[in-house]
């Protein structure tokens, strides 16, 4: 490594700030900006599919600013954007520049963005924004720099008005993740359709339809970008909504009803959970008989001591939800805005007038007396959709959310090599948590022997586990399901197919499933933690700690909300850890 590189490697990450005024002629600067915008555009193609991961896009440019490769992360667990772009560019990667809308999250391991870029011979990487999660921020930048790659980050190493604009497009693509990381609640969008005279329904409460078909199609897309859609009890009573994303093939959000009274109908579209899950959030003790009835239909009922938007959002944050679409009426919308859980507003304005003194409006009482108290939206956009106008904007400036450059102490904190032996509990759940690689959704393909003694590759542990529910069942539908899960594009999709088929066609599940499922999981986990040395050392480094899968829902594999779960996933990992520790101490004692 050249002396200058070795020096760069030893400097803390904040040294980037000192390099920002290094010469960068304006034409190359404009090229950088336009490719970063393209990377952000690519990243946005899979909005909603990558949750809880960020959306990543990558452009590789060589020679006289010619695009030679592009890629974007399609879903959790699929090939990273950078790996796709490198594969597309092939030999043209040598000495080329890679443009990434966001710093990659995983830089340890063979098949990650960082190793793909380094191995391909990329000379320079331009990054739109740092990773918003504190424990990941700066790691990939540091890893690239230590491999001798020049890394320029917008707003740090490249500064100008146009760079700020490109940075904003990167922030907008991953606004859910950025906001979630900074506000400790999921990113929430309030959407409503309003007439020109400011009503969301007639005085009788009828509201279908205010906005046009084209606008409602856009709403379907917004649903597909969200993890959950929320309405209040009154909207269920008045509208009997479905709240599904109907654009076909898209991601389906969970439907959530907030009802204090539980004065809800026994028959409603939302209680059909065959395709999509429904959750009712209510007040402790409210109409227990209806709660039981709904639970018998597959609806999940969650009781809160005092039902309010903030507690509900904190609950969903803990469950790992990234983005929520509020499609409620004005009274719940006002309560959500007052609780400061709404981040963005989408107002569809239809050129219709319906009048009505008591007709509901989009936002109820906020207690404001003067116009100076008005909430001003930021980064407002206007778009015509069919005959309607869509006005959208943020309730707080998006620029304030730029993740900070890590301090030197933070850099030490996130160094996995310094991970100490900790006693106590290590809880993991979502793949981007500090121990997220322990999750079965983590993007680590495994190879497991099949019945013929051949190694078969599975995209994730989740794919392997879900498919084996239907293994060797002599029914073509079971075999089809096995294959569909095996080729699912993401672990989320694999889980969705597996769970749905198990619920809808229990006859296709192998009869011995309950007795073999722990063995199936053990086999997959053993493969995962044997193949990847960095995962193996991470597991071994937790010795002395209790590992708990922090799933609030899964009381068999997870630990539950208050430790009521059996935590079989945590137990299997601890069993494997003992086996690996046993092996390594045996091999140190007996090196032959
Ligand atoms: N045009 C549009 O975009 C839309 C129009 N609408 C229309 O709006 C009308 C319904 O409006 P609205 O009653 O405001 O809407 P919601 O039903 O969406 O919200 C109010 C209900 O939410 C529940 N709730 C739970 N917690 C709270 C809380 N902290 N604060 C307030 N409510 C809470 C209560 O349910 P419970 O009473 O069960 O306890 C309450 O009645 C309908 O006519 C519907 O057609 C609705 C959505 C969108
Ligand atoms: N009336 C109205 C909306 N209303 C919202 O859509 C819900 C109905 O959704 P679904 O049953 O899935 O079609 C309804 O309960 C309310 O939340 N939305 C709009 O985009 N435009 C409209 O004019």
């Amino acid at each position: 490594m050249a002396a200058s590189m070795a020096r760069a490697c030893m400097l803390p990450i904040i040294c980037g700030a000192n390099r920002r005024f290094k010469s960068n002629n304006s034409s190359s600067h404009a090229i950088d900006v336009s490719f970063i915008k393209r990377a952000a555009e690519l990243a946005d193609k899979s909005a909603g599919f990558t949750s809880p991961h960020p959306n990543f896009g990558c452009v590789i440019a060589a020679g006289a600013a010619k695009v030679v490769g592009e890629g974007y992360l399609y879903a959790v667990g699929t090939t990273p954007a950078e790996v796709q772009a490198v594969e597309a560019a092939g030999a043209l990667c040598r000495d080329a520049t890679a443009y990434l809308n966001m710093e990659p999250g995983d830089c340890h391991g063979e098949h990650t963005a960082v190793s793909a870029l380094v191995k391909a011979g990329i000379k320079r990487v331009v990054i739109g924004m740092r990773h918003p999660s504190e424990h990941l921020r700066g790691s990939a930048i540091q890893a690239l720099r230590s491999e001798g790659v020049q890394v320029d980050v917008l707003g740090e190493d490249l500064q100008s008005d146009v760079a700020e604009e490109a940075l904003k497009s990167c922030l907008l693509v991953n606004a859910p993740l950025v906001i979630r990381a900074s506000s400790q609640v999921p990113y929430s969008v309030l959407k409503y359709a309003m007439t020109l005279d400011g009503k969301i329904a007639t005085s009788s409460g009828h509201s279908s339809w205010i906005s046009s078909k084209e606008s409602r199609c856009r709403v379907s897309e917004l649903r597909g970008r969200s993890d959950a859609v929320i309405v209040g009890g009154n909207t269920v009573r008045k509208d009997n909504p479905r709240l599904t994303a109907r654009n076909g093939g898209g991601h389906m959000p969970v439907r959530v009803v907030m009802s204090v009274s539980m004065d809800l109908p026994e028959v409603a579209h939302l209680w059909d959970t065959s395709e999509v899950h429904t959750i009712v959030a209510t007040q402790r003790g409210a109409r227990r008989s209806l709660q039981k009835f709904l639970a018998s239909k597959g609806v999940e009922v969650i009781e809160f001591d005092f039902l309010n938007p903030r507690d509900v959002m904190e609950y969903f944050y803990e469950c790992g939800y990234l983005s929520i679409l509020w499609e409620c009426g004005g009274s719940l919308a006002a309560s959500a805005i007052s609780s400061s859980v709404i981040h963005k507003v989408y107002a569809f304005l239809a050129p219709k007038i319906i009048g009505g003194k008591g007709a509901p409006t989009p936002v109820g009482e906020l207690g404001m007396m003067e116009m100076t108290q008005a909430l001003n939206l930021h980064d407002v956009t206007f778009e015509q959709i069919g005959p309607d106008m869509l006005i959208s904007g943020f309730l707080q400036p998006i620029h304030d959310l730029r993740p900070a450059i890590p301090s030197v102490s933070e850099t030490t904190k996130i160094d996995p090599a310094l991970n100490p032996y900790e006693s106590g509990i290590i809880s993991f759940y979502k793949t981007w948590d500090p121990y997220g690689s322990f999750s079965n959704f983590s993007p680590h393909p495994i190879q497991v022997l099949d019945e013929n003694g051949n190694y078969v590759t599975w995209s994730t542990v989740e794919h392997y586990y879900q498919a084996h529910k239907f293994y060797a069942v002599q029914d073509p539908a079971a075999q089809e399901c096995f294959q569909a899960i095996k080729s699912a594009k993401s672990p989320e999709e694999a889980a969705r197919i597996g769970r749905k088929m198990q619920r809808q066609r229990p006859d296709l599940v192998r009869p011995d499933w309950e007795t073999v499922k722990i063995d199936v999981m053990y086999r997959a986990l053993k493969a995962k933690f044997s193949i990847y040395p960095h995962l193996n050392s991470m597991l071994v480094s937790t010795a002395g700690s209790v590992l708990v899968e922090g799933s609030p829902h899964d009381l068999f594999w997870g630990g539950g909300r208050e430790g009521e779960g059996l935590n079989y996933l945590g137990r299997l990992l601890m069993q494997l850890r003992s086996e690996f520790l046993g092996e390594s101490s045996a091999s140190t004692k007996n090196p032959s």
Side-chain angles (χ1 to χ4, degrees):
M1 192 187 295
S4 60
M5 264 358 300
R7 210 170 38 246
C9 189
M10 285 158 60
L11 291 171
I13 286 176
I14 46 171
C15 73
N18 299 330
R19 303 187 308 132
R20 65 175 57 137
F21 297 115
K22 266 202 166 169
S23 70
N24 224 301
N25 72 49
S26 61
S27 72
S28 74
H29 194 79
I31 291 166
D32 287 346
V33 162
S34 78
F35 284 141
I36 282 289
K37 281 187 173 169
R38 172 68 186 150
E41 204 177 285
L42 287 169
D44 195 53
K45 283 179 186 258
S46 56
F49 284 90
T50 61
S51 172
H53 277 282
N55 293 98
F56 290 107
C58 174
V59 175
I60 297 180
K66 185 169 175 286
V67 174
V68 291
E70 287 189 339
Y72 67 93
L73 180 70
Y74 174 74
V76 179
T78 59
T79 312
E82 299 78 0
V83 176
Q84 292 176 44
V86 160
E87 280 170 4
L92 297 173
C93 284
R94 189 139 301 279
D95 293 335
T97 300
Y99 295 88
L100 323 183
N101 62 307
M102 185 188 276
E103 175 185 13
D106 185 5
C107 54
H108 309 285
E110 275 294 293
H111 305 285
T112 62
V114 169
S115 63
L117 295 169
V118 170
K119 273 192 207 150
I122 293 287
K123 191 176 178 186
R124 176 174 174 245
V125 175
V126 182
I127 292 182
M129 60 180 286
R130 285 174 181 266
H131 201 288
S133 300
E134 200 180 299
H135 65 284
L136 299 174
R137 196 181 312 146
S139 297
I141 294 173
Q142 192 179 34
L144 284 164
R145 285 185 177 148
S146 68
E147 292 287 347
V149 178
Q150 180 190 338
V151 182
D152 291 321
V153 183
L154 291 196
E156 296 172 28
D157 307 289
L158 302 175
Q159 291 191 333
S160 69
D161 287 349
V162 277
E164 284 295 311
E165 210 185 290
L167 169 58
K168 193 187 267 184
S169 59
C170 298
L171 281 165
L172 287 174
V173 171
N174 279 301
L177 201 83
V178 176
I179 288 176
R180 187 185 193 281
S182 64
S183 61
Q184 317 282 293
V185 283
Y187 167 71
S188 276
V189 171
L190 169 66
K191 163 259 144 186
Y192 52 81
M194 177 178 89
T195 60
L196 212 51
D197 55 336
K199 313 292 186 191
I200 57 165
T202 62
S203 309
S204 68
H206 189 252
S207 66
S208 47
W209 299 106
I210 288 174
S211 59
S212 63
K213 214 169 169 186
E214 294 93 322
S215 295
R216 293 192 329 265
C217 223
R218 174 62 71 85
V219 170
S220 197
E221 250 173 54
L222 290 175
R223 288 177 185 171
R225 287 171 166 250
S226 314
D227 292 333
V229 178
I230 296 193
V231 293
N234 203 23
T235 295
V236 178
R237 293 189 285 272
K238 295 278 186 202
D239 296 357
N240 189 17
R242 284 187 168 78
L243 305 178
T244 46
R246 304 197 190 84
N247 285 351
H251 161 76
M252 280 283 187
V254 170
R255 288 98 46 103
V256 180
V257 179
M258 281 180 65
S259 173
V260 181
S261 65
M262 278 301 279
D263 177 16
L264 299 170
E266 288 199 358
V267 178
H269 290 309
L270 293 182
W271 310 156
D272 174 0
T273 56
S274 56
E275 291 287 325
V276 195
H277 192 54
T278 301
I279 297 176
V280 172
T282 188
Q283 191 107 343
R284 196 167 300 289
R287 284 192 75 194
R288 284 259 161 83
S289 55
L290 187 74
Q291 290 194 26
K292 272 203 186 126
F293 171 75
L294 293 181
S296 74
K297 306 205 86 178
V299 174
E300 188 180 341
V301 182
I302 303 167
E303 291 186 322
F304 288 79
D305 290 335
F306 167 59
L307 186 70
N308 65 86
R310 178 148 288 273
D311 284 0
V312 172
M313 285 304 97
E314 282 174 5
Y315 171 78
F316 283 120
Y317 174 82
E318 275 176 29
C319 296
Y321 284 53
L322 188 59
S323 61
I324 312 269
L325 184 65
W326 293 70
E327 288 204 58
C328 53
S331 43
L332 184 52
S335 178
I337 290 177
S338 318
S339 315
S340 302
V341 296
I342 301 292
H343 304 104
K344 191 170 190 184
V345 176
Y346 275 83
F348 289 88
L349 185 56
K352 296 177 185 173
I353 291 176
I354 53 175
K357 220 169 146 193
T361 58
V363 182
E365 187 54 60
L366 288 178
M368 292 188 187
M369 305 302 285
E370 309 260 341
M371 276 315 292
T372 48
Q373 294 172 288
L375 302 168
N376 289 310
L377 299 194
H378 304 266
D379 291 307
V380 177
T381 60
F382 303 86
E383 186 185 344
Q384 188 174 345
I385 302 182
D388 306 327
M389 180 64 83
L390 167 59
I391 306 178
S392 63
F394 287 86
L395 282 167
Q396 51 182 307
I398 187 86
H399 257 144
D400 291 357
L401 298 164
R402 184 192 306 184
I405 303 171
S407 64
V408 180
S409 59
E410 236 181 323
T411 322
T412 319
K413 204 168 68 194
I414 61 182
D415 184 350
L418 298 180
N419 205 356
Y421 268 6
E422 277 175 356
S423 61
I425 294 173
I426 292 178
S427 177
F428 61 93
Y429 185 35
K430 293 295 175 185
T431 51
W432 35 262
D433 287 339
Y435 289 88
S437 302
F438 292 175
S439 156
N440 290 341
F441 280 36
S442 85
H444 295 96
I446 55 169
Q447 290 188 317
V448 191
L449 280 176
D450 70 3
E451 68 282 9
N452 304 318
N454 298 321
Y455 274 106
V456 177
T457 302
W458 294 81
S459 304
T460 65
V461 168
E462 190 68 18
H463 282 77
Y464 181 84
Y465 174 77
Q466 292 292 348
H468 279 76
K469 288 178 178 172
F470 309 96
Y471 175 70
V473 175
Q474 295 309 313
D475 183 317
Q479 286 155 25
E480 220 172 88
C481 184
F482 183 87
Q483 284 309 327
I485 296 173
K486 186 162 189 311
S487 50
K489 291 202 173 89
S490 66
E492 188 198 34
E493 192 176 297
R496 202 166 44 230
I497 304 172
R499 288 176 191 146
K500 187 174 152 192
M501 286 307 273
Q502 189 177 15
R503 207 168 45 233
Q504 289 182 349
R505 295 286 311 269
D507 56 304
L508 298 182
V509 176
R510 57 195 281 184
D512 60 348
W513 178 240
E514 286 307 315
T515 40
V516 300
K517 67 182 186 185
I518 295 180
D519 282 345
V520 168
M521 185 69 91
Y522 173 80
R523 224 176 301 138
L525 292 173
K526 182 148 188 172
K528 173 175 166 183
F529 287 89
S530 305
I531 298 170
Y532 299 95
H534 66 290
L535 293 190
N536 188 292
S537 29
M538 191 192 263
L539 181 63
V540 168
S541 79
T542 64
S545 299
V546 177
L547 301 179
V548 178
E549 196 213 10
S551 166
H553 305 298
D554 187 340
L555 300 187
F556 182 80
W557 294 111
R561 277 184 93 185
E562 283 150 8
E564 73 277 30
L566 295 170
N567 187 36
Y568 267 98
L569 183 56
R571 290 180 199 212
L572 284 182
L573 289 174
M574 290 186 278
Q575 182 184 327
L576 271 173
R577 182 178 67 191
S578 308
E579 289 170 15
F580 289 132
L581 280 167
E583 270 171 28
S584 64
S585 65
S587 64
T588 0
K589 276 190 210 132
N590 182 7
S592 66

